[in-house]
Amino acid sequence: MSWINLLKINIKKEIVMMKRYLPNTIAMLLTMYFLFLAMFAGIQIIGDPSSQDVHTQFVIVNYIFWSLSLIVVQDIGWQITTEAAQGTLEQLSMSPMGVWKIMLMRLIATVLANIIIIIVLLYLSMLTTGQWLNIDVITLVPIFVLTLISMFGLGYIIAGISIVLKQIQSFLQILQFVLAGLVFIPLTVAPFLAFFPIVKGVDLVRGIMIDGLSWHSINIIDYSILIFNAAFYFILGLFFFLYCERVAMKKGLLAHY
Amino acid sequence: MEEIIEVKNLSKTYKKRKSKETITAVNDISFTVNKGEIVGLLGPNGAGKSTTIKLICGLLIPDSGSVMVNGISMKEKRLSALSHISAVLEGNRNLYWRLTVRENLEYFSGNRGRSSKDVASEIEDLLDAFNLKEKETELVNRLSRGMQQKLAIAVSLLADSKVILLDEPTLGIDVQTGYEIRKILRDVVRDYDRTIIISSHDMGVIQELCDRTVIINNGKVVTDDKVENLLRLFEVRAYTITLGNALSNQQIQLLHQKFPHLDYSHHSLESTLTVNLTKAEEFYDLFEVLKLEHTPVESIDRQLINFEEVFLKIVNGRLHNELDQSS
């Protein structure tokens, strides 16, 4: 029950902040949309006309996932550095729930609160380009959730680094490009990337949304890789975070910025 | 009385980033806190108070030693131990400034796993008790520092913990709010059945609120005693003697030989001697010197020593002298 209370209060905080700073929320959505328009214009101007439709569909899916991964992975890093500077990180660290649970609930809350923005962005992108993707919710949801779990693992790694180092703004900026690489590079170009976080999930989502794959036409090996990646990166991220938390408690870094 | 906090042989060192020099913040500290007590943690800057508080809160891992909270080891069962402790460590910095008063109360209790339904009536009570009801929808960054401090204490109460640690609860707030906070803390112990550990530079807070004081200096416990005992220890031997005439040079010399810490001042209207006597019989020695020139004694006043002076004497190493002399 305490887990649910923790989740509920973190969702509430996310929504309160989004509503309270509505102009900021709208500006974020518009920035994401304008960036997408720039990509779309690029395809229209310099792309091969014979494959423009497919490229546009690729860009929509990739861009939506990239935006989501930025929100999830980067946001947790920003949150930690901000909380350390504010002085609230110590208060969270004193919760009998454990910081890792609070961070997990925050990650989930961030996704749930931002999913509306992502959906709006998706439909705006489809509307602008006239490319309507296959939205097979039943097939998409489990793959999306498993991909998110590996994303959470990355989030924990970023949170762990932030707890110890604090000033990671430049690192977070580099991370944007790393995430773009993971999302935009197709598996056909670099098959080994299937074992990297997010990549397999995005590949399958592209298959569903662009090629119309359904849950039964997806290979069991693909599902297995997806499940393995989700479990591996989540556990890796969690252990890394717990290790960093311990280092911070040994060195007295929880309150320092 | 039942012990709720046991600090045993606690030590913590840090390494300086650049010089890699090791600094001992806390050095083999031991003390206990009983249920329902208000204990003051005193010490000069850099004495190790905040480190001790953070070690008790489980925010720092000690190099050696242990902290038990309500019988639970902070080292072995940190999260269980944390359910019995809450703290206000940096006052207004412990709050979310972009959330309202009520949202802060709800958010922090939710982060401890408490349901908003369970805490709803407690929040109402706290808003009333802390005079924050009118400000419940106000963003924290718009509150005065005193109000923010009160809210931080209310947040710590809502944690439903048995022990509350307060690091400098009256730092930087005005006299009236300081008075209000002292009243609140007294009520907290009486009405909410909590144990409080206060670290403060404000001797008034310690003297007024605390049952017992643990004084730390250079990372070590210098004394652990009741405030009134410490006051009594120093108070009984300090006297101010007003004289009718000025003392002769010979008298001053003799007095300084017998009482090295004696202060003598002479003005046109009166002469005063301030002396710390180690034994009552030393009065006879003093009077013998006065008798040499038939110096009249107009009054003898026992000095009322305040806790600040006691504290300074203790951290300056005078405690052991006093204890040796009294024994």
Side-chain angles (χ1 to χ4, degrees):
Chain A
M1 196 62 193
S2 53
W3 281 76
I4 295 166
N5 296 332
L6 191 58
L7 179 62
K8 270 162 65 179
I9 202 70
N10 278 290
I11 293 173
K12 187 178 175 184
K13 182 176 172 246
E14 277 290 328
I15 292 168
V16 162
M17 296 305 274
M18 281 174 87
K19 276 165 70 180
R20 187 158 297 152
Y21 299 98
L22 193 62
N24 186 51
T25 311
I26 294 168
M28 186 176 86
L29 176 66
L30 289 177
T31 309
M32 289 161 116
Y33 179 62
F34 288 132
L35 197 60
F36 172 77
L37 286 183
M39 285 185 187
F40 178 56
I43 295 169
Q44 294 292 314
I45 295 162
I46 58 168
D48 176 3
S50 63
S51 57
Q52 255 177 11
D53 287 355
V54 180
H55 282 155
T56 304
Q57 288 167 358
F58 259 77
V59 167
I60 294 173
V61 177
N62 293 348
Y63 185 68
I64 293 296
F65 254 88
W66 183 53
S67 307
L68 185 68
S69 64
L70 279 184
I71 290 170
V72 172
V73 180
Q74 271 202 328
D75 189 65
I76 203 78
W78 289 115
Q79 279 192 29
I80 296 269
T81 48
T82 312
E83 300 241 1
Q86 280 174 345
T88 43
L89 184 62
E90 281 191 322
Q91 281 297 319
L92 297 183
S93 304
M94 285 185 60
S95 165
M97 298 297 289
V99 186
W100 75 270
K101 282 183 206 158
I102 296 175
M103 290 301 150
L104 179 60
M105 294 307 145
R106 277 196 180 181
L107 285 164
I108 297 171
T110 307
V111 170
L112 292 176
N114 285 285
I115 205 82
I116 302 154
I117 292 178
I118 295 294
I119 291 170
V120 170
L121 187 65
L122 174 66
Y123 276 90
L124 266 177
S125 308
M126 291 196 292
L127 195 68
T128 311
T129 58
Q131 298 291 330
W132 294 94
L133 301 169
N134 173 35
I135 313 283
D136 177 358
V137 178
I138 293 169
T139 312
L140 276 174
V141 168
I143 290 168
F144 181 71
V145 170
L146 286 168
T147 312
L148 269 180
I149 293 172
S150 69
M151 234 185 247
F152 288 175
L154 271 186
Y156 269 131
I157 292 172
I158 300 302
I161 295 170
S162 310
I163 266 189
V164 176
L165 300 178
K166 305 293 187 300
Q167 290 179 342
I168 61 156
Q169 289 85 342
S170 305
F171 175 75
L172 289 177
Q173 278 164 10
I174 296 167
L175 185 76
Q176 291 182 34
F177 301 106
V178 176
L179 290 171
L182 291 176
V183 170
F184 281 86
I185 297 170
L187 273 181
T188 46
V189 174
F192 65 94
L193 284 179
F195 292 96
F196 278 59
I198 311 173
V199 184
K200 189 71 192 173
V202 184
D203 189 60
L204 289 174
V205 169
R206 278 193 296 251
I208 299 160
M209 292 178 88
I210 299 169
D211 303 329
L213 289 181
S214 61
W215 66 270
H216 50 80
S217 55
I218 295 171
N219 197 322
I220 189 79
I221 296 169
D222 288 334
Y223 276 123
S224 306
I225 293 173
L226 198 62
I227 292 167
F228 171 80
N229 281 353
F232 177 75
Y233 286 106
F234 185 82
I235 292 168
L236 178 76
L238 179 59
F239 276 92
F240 181 77
F241 177 78
L242 292 174
Y243 171 75
C244 290
E245 189 192 12
R246 200 167 170 78
V247 169
M249 287 199 293
K250 271 194 171 171
K251 294 190 172 179
L253 299 172
L254 285 177
H256 290 206
Y257 183 72
Chain B
M1 278 179 94
E2 197 184 334
E3 265 176 25
I4 195 153
I5 297 275
E6 187 194 22
V7 173
K8 208 171 177 184
N9 305 117
L10 212 55
S11 293
K12 180 74 188 169
T13 54
Y14 294 108
K15 265 189 184 167
K16 273 190 178 177
R17 263 193 189 175
K18 285 182 183 168
S19 62
K20 298 285 172 199
E21 183 193 344
T22 303
I23 296 167
T24 306
V26 171
N27 189 2
D28 201 25
I29 275 182
S30 297
F31 64 90
T32 57
V33 178
N34 297 320
K35 230 176 186 174
E37 258 190 322
I38 307 185
V39 173
L41 210 55
L42 271 178
N45 283 338
K49 303 185 300 284
S50 294
T51 304
T52 306
I53 289 231
K54 286 181 183 182
L55 285 163
I56 297 171
C57 294
L59 291 172
L60 282 174
I61 297 174
D63 297 339
S64 60
S66 63
V67 174
M68 302 288 280
V69 182
N70 207 23
I72 303 164
S73 165
M74 188 57 86
K75 192 177 173 184
E76 283 153 28
K77 291 183 175 175
R78 182 174 174 269
L79 295 182
S80 286
L82 282 178
S83 64
H84 299 289
I85 268 197
S86 58
V88 180
L89 297 173
E90 295 183 57
N92 54 355
R93 286 193 70 232
N94 282 177
L95 302 166
Y96 288 94
W97 285 34
R98 294 195 297 167
L99 292 181
T100 65
V101 168
R102 180 178 280 276
E103 284 163 358
N104 263 283
L105 288 164
E106 287 172 350
Y107 186 67
F108 280 110
S109 59
N111 266 325
R112 289 180 77 95
R114 303 194 71 192
S115 88
S116 46
K117 272 185 193 168
D118 286 352
V119 295
S121 63
E122 283 179 58
I123 287 177
E124 292 303 325
D125 290 348
L126 285 169
L127 288 171
D128 285 335
F130 284 62
N131 288 328
L132 289 167
K133 186 76 186 160
E134 283 176 18
K135 302 278 181 186
E136 65 172 308
T137 54
E138 197 86 55
L139 290 181
V140 169
N141 61 11
R142 289 184 194 148
L143 298 180
S144 67
R145 196 184 161 103
M147 288 233 180
Q148 290 170 342
Q149 190 72 25
K150 284 199 291 184
L151 176 60
I153 296 172
V155 165
S156 70
L157 273 173
L158 203 57
D160 199 25
S161 62
K162 292 183 169 69
V163 184
I164 301 172
L165 290 108
L166 304 166
D167 198 2
E168 300 288 356
T170 54
L171 188 71
I173 55 174
D174 60 79
V175 177
Q176 196 190 334
T177 316
Y179 174 79
E180 209 180 331
I181 286 178
R182 291 205 285 268
K183 187 184 172 302
I184 284 170
L185 293 177
R186 268 197 305 270
D187 294 347
V188 163
V189 172
R190 193 190 58 223
D191 304 336
Y192 294 84
D193 188 28
R194 308 291 165 98
T195 305
I196 296 181
I197 301 175
I198 304 174
S199 147
S200 180
H201 279 95
D202 188 342
M203 301 297 158
V205 170
I206 300 289
Q207 194 168 354
E208 193 182 327
L209 289 178
C210 297
D211 305 310
R212 193 155 57 85
T213 313
V214 177
I215 297 181
I216 298 176
N217 197 18
N218 296 322
K220 282 181 173 281
V221 172
V222 186
T223 182
D224 176 354
D225 207 341
K226 289 189 170 184
V227 174
E228 63 260 30
N229 288 349
L230 292 172
L231 282 169
R232 205 176 299 131
L233 190 66
F234 286 92
E235 186 185 37
V236 289
R237 303 176 203 293
Y239 294 92
T240 301
I241 300 160
T242 310
L243 305 170
N245 293 337
L247 295 174
S248 68
N249 285 341
Q250 187 204 2
Q251 279 178 305
I252 294 169
Q253 216 173 353
L254 282 168
L255 283 171
H256 273 299
Q257 278 170 13
K258 286 178 189 285
F259 308 101
H261 296 296
L262 172 134
D263 282 330
Y264 171 65
S265 67
H266 171 63
H267 303 290
S268 54
L269 293 175
E270 63 172 25
S271 301
T272 54
L273 277 174
T274 307
V275 64
N276 284 342
L277 299 183
T278 53
K279 294 174 201 155
E281 295 84 64
E282 282 182 330
F283 259 125
Y284 298 126
D285 298 338
L286 192 136
F287 279 111
E288 262 177 36
V289 177
L290 296 180
K291 204 177 157 190
L292 286 175
E293 303 277 348
H294 299 285
T295 310
V297 173
E298 291 191 347
S299 66
I300 301 175
D301 297 303
R302 199 171 77 183
Q303 237 182 39
L304 284 175
I305 195 161
N306 63 32
F307 194 60
E308 197 169 314
E309 288 169 294
V310 172
F311 169 72
L312 286 172
K313 286 181 182 210
I314 289 171
V315 294
N316 289 330
R318 299 271 295 277
L319 178 73
H320 292 295
N321 297 344
E322 295 295 325
L323 289 172
D324 291 344
Q325 284 156 7
S326 63
S327 63

